Amino acid sequence: SLQSSLNSEEGLGVASLSVLYAALILSSMFLPPILIKKLGCKWTIAISMCCYITFSLGNFYASWYTLIPTSVILGLGGAPLWSAKCTYLTIAGTSYAEKAGKNAKDIINQYFGVFFLVFQSSGIWGNLISSLILSQSSTKVEISEEDLECCGAHDCLTDTTNTTGSAKPSNSLIYTLLGVYTASGVLAVLLVIIFLDQIKSDQAETEKEKLEAPSFWSTFLATFRHLKDKRQCLLIPLTMYSGFEQGFLSGDYTKVYVTCALGIQYVGYVMICFAAVNALCSLLFGKISQFTGRKFLFALATVTNTACIIALLLWKPHPKQLAVFFVFPALWGLSDAVWQTQTNALYGILFEKHKEAAFANYRLWESLGFVIAFGYSTKLQVYIKLYILLSVLVLSMVTYGAVEYLEAKSSPGTPTATKKENGGPHSQETCM
């Protein structure tokens, strides 16, 4: 959230984020099965978390020689961490369900629900830490009307948003912030190493068999073979849009609207608003989707995001309109909750027999959306990026509509049924 504002010189911050997601694409294709097979879930989680710590350390002396390599390291560690976490929760849920005599799928869903509630709350605590520390800055300057002209959709496209609102905090404050983040990361790794149980040998063997079943290259090629499915191709714009819209909020909105007009100390508070609404709506939409259906939720997110994009094109941010700065991330969080929960669910329903390849494609195209969004972040004015965002959203809804049409046409009695031609044995629940 802070990279675009904290390391704005020559676009270093957003460049590091673009590199991060490019590394994540490569990592998700190659590393998770190998590391989980060799190290087991516990040690894959612990080592991958150390990759995140290196990024915090790289920010102590932010330069192209420190941030780009540590971004690569973080990206490489990201996919194994998420895969190992998903595997661990699935095995733990299954184990508990057997002992308690309950349905394994229900318990696993509960475990993931608790996990994502805690995970989304990290956006609250992490940003609260940054705002409380950065608000101690003594370099606050009154932002002139002339400088405010460079904020918003028609930004001045300078390396630093302006010389007042984006006045960089003192090194001591930055080091304090990074010290807290690094210490939190180290503590987290120690908690995992000391307290997280190793998966029992029989469960680990079962998981190993699952990982060994397809060869390395067959898993890699399966991701691209899955593109033969017309529905997967039609879902590419929607999946990439998820990366575009998240990239815009964290890379552009925080810098050109919040930091420019209010100051960097407000970025954390704004992102807290986004994270809190996102977490609550994720929980809410997961429950009400069975009553409303996914089409209604996708329509809600589309209307909300479109309204936000148009409003951001017209709005000139001003410190006197403080509440408005929080309205946009709140509405964005509502929309993002739909994009995340419903797109994941859609992939699981449509490609039930090929979950591994389907979710690998999901991560691939979403990460590519992030890479592109951060890649052109410093090259284009914000209004152009907003038009691109709107265009991709419109295309996404057209292609999504085509997917729904194909599904309704193939199984008119059961719209959510999976087509028979996807064939093959039912694969185990997988999270990529």
Side-chain angles (χ1 to χ4, degrees), residues 119-130:
F119 169 70
Q120 294 288 5
S121 78
S122 69
I124 299 172
W125 311 122
N127 286 304
L128 184 61
I129 289 168
S130 72

Side-chain angles (χ1 to χ4, degrees), residues 44-335:
T44 299
I45 290 170
I47 291 169
S48 298
M49 286 166 76
C50 291
C51 296
Y52 283 67
I53 297 172
T54 63
F55 188 68
S56 295
L57 293 173
N59 274 271
F60 273 96
Y61 182 74
S63 71
W64 292 95
Y65 303 106
T66 57
L67 275 192
I68 300 303
T70 52
S71 294
V72 172
I73 293 170
L74 195 162
L76 293 176
L81 176 64
W82 280 84
S83 295
K85 177 272 301 178
C86 288
T87 302
Y88 197 100
L89 286 179
T90 302
I91 291 173
T94 304
S95 176
Y96 176 75
E98 287 174 3
K99 290 176 184 174
K102 295 182 178 179
N103 187 306
K105 202 168 186 179
D106 292 341
I107 299 297
I108 291 168
N109 283 337
Q110 286 178 29
Y111 277 29
F112 274 94
V114 172
F115 170 81
F116 276 102
L117 182 65
V118 177
F119 169 70
Q120 294 288 5
S121 78
S122 69
I124 299 172
W125 311 122
N127 286 304
L128 184 61
I129 289 168
S130 72
S131 289
L132 290 174
I133 292 174
L134 296 177
S135 63
Q136 306 300 312
S137 176
S138 57
T139 58
K140 294 171 194 169
V141 184
E142 192 67 34
I143 303 169
S144 68
E145 294 297 325
E146 185 182 344
D147 284 318
L148 285 170
E149 288 299 315
C150 281
C151 304
H154 295 272
D155 62 311
C156 301
L157 207 63
T158 50
D159 279 345
T160 51
T161 311
N162 59 44
T163 55
T164 53
S166 63
K168 196 169 180 177
S170 65
N171 282 342
S172 62
L173 283 178
I174 293 174
Y175 292 153
T176 302
L177 177 66
L178 295 171
V180 172
Y181 284 158
T182 305
S184 300
V186 171
L187 176 62
V189 171
L190 290 175
L191 286 171
V192 167
I193 291 172
I194 296 168
F195 295 109
L196 189 69
D197 294 331
Q198 203 35 302
I199 292 174
K200 290 179 183 175
S201 56
D202 57 332
Q203 294 168 317
E205 285 305 313
T206 304
E207 191 57 31
K208 269 189 187 178
E209 286 168 20
K210 177 190 158 191
L211 290 163
E212 285 170 358
S215 70
F216 175 76
W217 284 108
S218 69
T219 304
F220 174 67
L221 293 172
T223 302
F224 295 98
R225 275 201 299 268
H226 196 256
L227 291 170
K228 290 180 180 178
D229 191 319
K230 189 188 295 184
R231 297 168 303 164
Q232 174 62 73
C233 293
L234 288 169
L235 284 176
I236 288 174
L238 176 62
T239 313
M240 287 185 69
Y241 178 74
S242 176
F244 273 104
E245 55 93 10
Q246 291 178 76
F248 176 82
L249 187 78
S250 58
D252 294 303
Y253 181 75
T254 55
K255 178 185 177 184
V256 181
Y257 289 88
V258 182
T259 301
C260 183
L262 297 177
I264 195 171
Q265 69 273 15
Y266 278 91
V267 170
Y269 294 125
V270 164
M271 293 307 287
I272 286 171
C273 182
F274 168 77
V277 173
N278 200 328
L280 290 172
C281 287
S282 294
L283 196 64
L284 176 65
F285 294 152
K287 290 183 182 297
I288 69 167
S289 61
Q290 57 186 310
F291 305 110
T292 62
R294 62 175 179 254
K295 294 176 197 171
F296 169 79
L297 292 176
F298 274 121
L300 175 66
T302 303
V303 170
T304 305
N305 248 176
T306 302
C308 285
I309 292 168
I310 294 170
L312 285 170
L313 280 166
L314 302 173
W315 180 49
K316 289 298 294 180
H318 196 283
K320 291 179 181 177
Q321 304 166 326
L322 187 61
V324 183
F325 289 90
F326 292 88
V327 170
F328 284 109
L331 293 173
W332 213 273
L334 181 149
S335 301

Side-chain angles (χ1 to χ4, degrees), residues 230-239 294-296 298-299 302 339 343 346 350 392-410 415:
K230 189 188 295 184
R231 297 168 303 164
Q232 174 62 73
C233 293
L234 288 169
L235 284 176
I236 288 174
L238 176 62
T239 313
R294 62 175 179 254
K295 294 176 197 171
F296 169 79
F298 274 121
T302 303
W339 304 132
T343 308
L346 184 62
L350 293 181
V392 176
L393 176 57
V394 171
L395 176 63
S396 300
M397 287 303 99
V398 170
T399 54
Y400 163 70
V403 170
E404 291 288 8
Y405 172 75
L406 288 173
E407 278 304 286
K409 191 178 174 184
S410 66

